[in-house]
Amino acid sequence: MANSDPEGVDGVRMTWNVWPRTKLEASKCVIPLAASIAPIRPHSDIPTLPYAPLRCRTCSAALNAYSRVDFLAKIWICPFCYQRNQFPPHYAMISETNLPCELYPQYTTVQYTLQRNPDPNNPSNAPQLQPVFVFVLDTCMIEEELVFAKSALKQAIGLLPEQALVGFVSFGTQAHVHELGFTEMSKVYVFKGSKEISKEQVLEQLGLPAAGRRLTAGYPKGLQNGYTNTVVNRFLLPASDCEFTLNSLLDELQTDQWPVQAGHRASRCTGVALSVAAGLLGACLPGTGARIIALVGGPCTEGPGTIVSKDLSEPVRSHKDLFKDAAPYFKKAVKFYGSLAKQLVDQGHVLDLFASALDQVGVAEMKVAIERTGGLVVLAESFGHSVFKDSFKLVFEDGEQSLGLCFKLVLIKGYKVGVQVDVAWGERLKGIYKRNSSVKLSFSFFNFSFSGMLEISCSKEIKVQGIIGPCTSLEKKGPNVSDTVIGEGNTTTWKMCGLDKSTCLTVIFDLSSTDQSNVPETVNPQFYLQFLTRFAA
Ligand SMILES: [Zn+2]
């Protein structure tokens, strides 16, 4: 019978289920040692534990079913670094017949729910972080295209969950931040398109305080839903409250009114507009999930992120130009989007790009910010084309085919969840392959999460080369980090900004080059891997 669930409970699939012992043997494998992992894929057989995992004091791997336990001395030995760890007092009842759930051999994956740091004075006052969507709309388009784009936006806003917060930025020669909370008339903050602008400058110009890291000292006063009141009331409003304002604003919104010289491209400040959107999101508390959804109709020609001059006699750089290093704007633009990526990753926010144009729009330059934040790219030739329309709708729709960005479930307040997976291999010579999975308990309360962190622990013989997929290396060096990097490497810890239950990453491993296989006492009979994901749901 065909196995319909090859990843099993753990959500892990390996290229090899039996691993070579040495670097030499590994080098003979044509297919690399790799694992595709779905960090938070739900499964009804994963138990949920209402306490924090015990971590090894040397390597910080979590206590698991492969740890050796001395019940008399109340000690567990870490299978990764062989550190002997004392059990804390609340594990005093542990015995061979009274095991905590994480030590049951069948629970290779467990989930822990942790309390978010509550307000010590009023624990029920912990803010519930609502997801934020900031739409960034290019207005340098022909009238017909802008009508298509506006209608898609209206549809998307109608599909968002009522409590999701929405912000709106439009841009052409300049970037405009619309104050949606000011309903008496349309009020706009204008940012010059030609000048690079920092997050601090954006917040200052909008009159917003930076959120900073005040979370640890309890929640600052004047917070509503985890945001400063000024952001919530002025720029980011619940979808249900601002749908009408935003719809009438879109009805009135015209194409960019700045004159375009004959023989020239429109002046389009995509870079500044995205910086401004990212800066606005900088006013949200750490841990807030947010996406910038950019609808772009052509190349950036103004200010930071420019990929081509305004003069139409100069064509947009081609593959050949990039290959020959003959694209004069390329490096500077990539550097700019690289720093935007860093800001977004620090904030834990995602950039999605929907571009519709007959010519190029500069995805080669922008892609670093999209890839590192786990965003989406859709390219089409028109905002009226079904490639754009259907894709855009699918992103926001809540259904079988949806990408899960929109959620209708009530999220459990202030909980943090971790997933742990262990896989063990038998000794190669004996060819034993062991992987356990079994039944119990269920969970289904999360459907959606915006950002998370992945840590990988592995036996000392194993090196991590890197990860291919929507994540960013946090450059946490250690003995298990390989010198050769594939994808996002040089680390054993990664940040994932656009994390959801269908997120899948491929981890590439290598074996340590020190060949100790002929020294019998150093031979490790089994290799272990642990994937630990922290995320807010
Ligand atoms: Zn350890």
Side-chain angles (χ1 to χ4, degrees):
M1 200 178 91
N3 188 351
S4 59
D5 186 16
E7 283 92 8
V9 178
D10 303 327
V12 173
R13 199 193 305 206
M14 317 290 300
T15 50
W16 297 97
N17 284 325
V18 177
W19 278 24
R21 302 294 316 174
T22 64
K23 175 104 175 162
L24 183 69
E25 282 177 14
S27 66
K28 290 177 189 157
C29 298
V30 179
I31 297 167
L33 298 171
S36 87
I37 59 169
I40 60 168
R41 198 185 69 164
H43 196 290
S44 57
D45 295 346
I46 297 174
T48 302
L49 314 178
Y51 49 85
L54 287 190
R55 309 288 293 267
C56 169
R57 61 190 166 100
T58 305
C59 73
S60 80
L63 173 65
N64 60 78
Y66 300 103
S67 310
R68 289 224 317 271
V69 176
D70 182 336
F71 293 102
L72 282 178
K74 307 281 185 234
I75 279 170
W76 63 279
I77 299 169
C78 172
F80 299 101
C81 69
Y82 307 112
Q83 170 69 46
R84 295 160 69 84
N85 294 281
Q86 197 80 40
F87 278 107
H90 62 278
Y91 274 75
M93 298 296 284
I94 191 170
S95 73
E96 265 153 277
T97 51
N98 185 18
L99 288 175
C101 195
E102 66 267 33
L103 287 181
Y104 279 64
Q106 68 266 36
Y107 295 139
T108 48
T109 294
V110 294
Q111 173 170 297
Y112 298 91
T113 57
L114 311 175
Q115 283 281 357
R116 214 186 269 276
N117 309 340
D119 182 345
N121 304 319
N122 186 3
S124 65
N125 199 25
Q128 184 169 1
L129 299 175
Q130 301 296 359
V132 184
F133 296 84
V134 173
F135 293 94
V136 178
L137 177 64
D138 182 359
T139 56
C140 294
M141 305 183 199
I142 55 166
E143 185 66 38
E144 190 191 353
E145 280 294 297
L146 191 63
V147 169
F148 285 134
K150 289 198 288 192
S151 119
L153 270 188
K154 285 183 191 172
Q155 191 183 28
I157 292 154
L159 288 168
L160 287 176
E162 286 186 0
Q163 73 274 29
L165 298 177
V166 178
F168 183 58
V169 175
S170 62
F171 71 97
T173 309
Q174 301 160 329
H176 295 173
V177 180
H178 298 261
E179 188 172 330
L180 300 177
F182 197 81
T183 46
E184 287 80 5
M185 53 186 276
S186 91
K187 190 171 167 187
V188 163
Y189 287 75
V190 180
F191 290 82
K192 201 170 164 183
S194 56
K195 214 172 130 230
E196 200 159 329
I197 186 161
S198 72
K199 171 179 161 180
E200 290 71 29
Q201 287 169 316
V202 173
L203 293 175
E204 197 192 321
Q205 286 201 37
L206 295 176
L208 295 172
R213 304 238 163 232
R214 290 174 294 183
L215 203 61
T216 44
Y219 295 105
K221 281 181 186 162
L223 276 180
Q224 180 192 332
N225 298 331
Y227 311 93
T228 50
N229 263 332
T230 44
V231 197
V232 171
N233 297 342
R234 291 174 59 207
F235 299 104
L236 304 174
L237 267 75
S240 52
D241 293 359
C242 70
E243 193 174 350
F244 178 77
T245 317
L246 201 46
N247 278 348
S248 36
L249 193 156
L250 285 169
D251 287 336
E252 285 166 23
L253 191 71
Q254 293 178 311
T255 54
D256 194 42
Q257 296 299 298
W258 287 76
V260 179
Q261 259 179 287
H264 281 67
R265 294 185 174 88
S267 169
R268 186 184 278 110
C269 68
T270 319
V272 165
L274 294 176
S275 290
V276 167
L280 172 62
L281 289 174
C284 299
L285 277 183
T288 306
R291 300 187 89 97
I292 296 173
I293 294 161
L295 276 69
V296 175
C300 179
T301 55
E302 178 80 16
T306 294
I307 68 149
V308 67
S309 79
K310 290 191 193 73
D311 190 345
L312 269 174
S313 65
E314 187 190 316
V316 181
R317 82 281 175 283
S318 65
H319 282 288
K320 226 187 241 168
D321 297 327
L322 293 176
F323 187 69
K324 287 194 292 191
D325 201 11
Y329 297 94
F330 184 74
K331 281 190 181 141
K332 207 174 160 204
V334 169
K335 191 165 167 247
F336 165 75
Y337 286 111
S339 65
L340 182 70
K342 190 177 176 302
Q343 183 190 341
L344 288 171
V345 169
D346 286 347
Q347 294 174 188
H349 300 154
V350 181
L351 172 63
D352 298 314
L353 177 71
F354 293 85
S356 291
L358 291 170
D359 200 356
Q360 304 189 61
V361 292
V363 177
E365 287 85 349
M366 296 167 86
K367 75 168 187 181
V368 55
I370 300 156
E371 276 180 344
R372 294 231 176 116
T373 60
L376 305 164
V377 175
V378 174
L379 295 175
E381 55 191 45
S382 157
F383 284 113
H385 196 281
S386 62
V387 168
F388 165 74
K389 284 205 293 192
D390 296 348
S391 310
F392 200 64
K393 199 167 149 231
L394 216 56
V395 168
F396 295 97
E397 235 171 16
D398 182 44
E400 287 277 296
Q401 301 281 305
S402 93
L403 294 178
L405 301 191
C406 182
F407 69 107
K408 295 278 191 264
L409 289 175
V410 178
L411 298 179
I412 285 192
K413 190 168 166 181
Y415 277 71
K416 206 157 107 184
V417 186
V419 175
Q420 171 199 326
V421 177
D422 295 285
V423 186
W425 293 269
E427 202 174 336
R428 181 185 157 86
L429 291 173
K430 290 180 189 154
I432 302 163
Y433 162 55
K434 185 170 118 196
R435 182 155 152 189
N436 298 314
S437 61
S438 189
V439 201
K440 222 175 188 179
L441 284 162
S442 70
F443 76 100
S444 60
F445 58 79
F446 77 84
N447 185 28
F448 183 75
S449 168
F450 270 104
S451 76
M453 290 247 286
L454 173 70
E455 282 173 56
I456 298 182
S457 304
C458 41
S459 299
K460 65 179 194 310
E461 294 85 351
I462 302 173
K463 302 273 181 201
V464 180
Q465 291 189 310
I467 292 186
I468 297 171
C471 64
T472 301
S473 162
L474 290 180
E475 306 280 335
K476 191 182 170 225
K477 303 267 184 351
N480 289 112
V481 174
S482 170
D483 294 333
T484 44
V485 173
I486 295 177
E488 287 290 304
N490 269 325
T491 188
T492 51
T493 306
W494 294 260
K495 183 145 179 182
M496 298 166 287
C497 293
L499 179 67
D500 64 48
K501 62 184 178 176
S502 61
T503 298
C504 187
L505 305 167
T506 299
V507 192
I508 316 281
F509 299 100
D510 195 5
L511 289 189
S512 172
S513 53
T514 45
D515 184 9
Q516 297 172 320
S517 57
N518 45 8
V519 190
E521 58 269 29
T522 63
V523 173
N524 191 351
Q526 285 194 317
F527 289 163
Y528 297 97
L529 292 173
Q530 185 175 72
F531 304 103
L532 197 139
T533 309
R534 274 181 286 167
F535 63 102

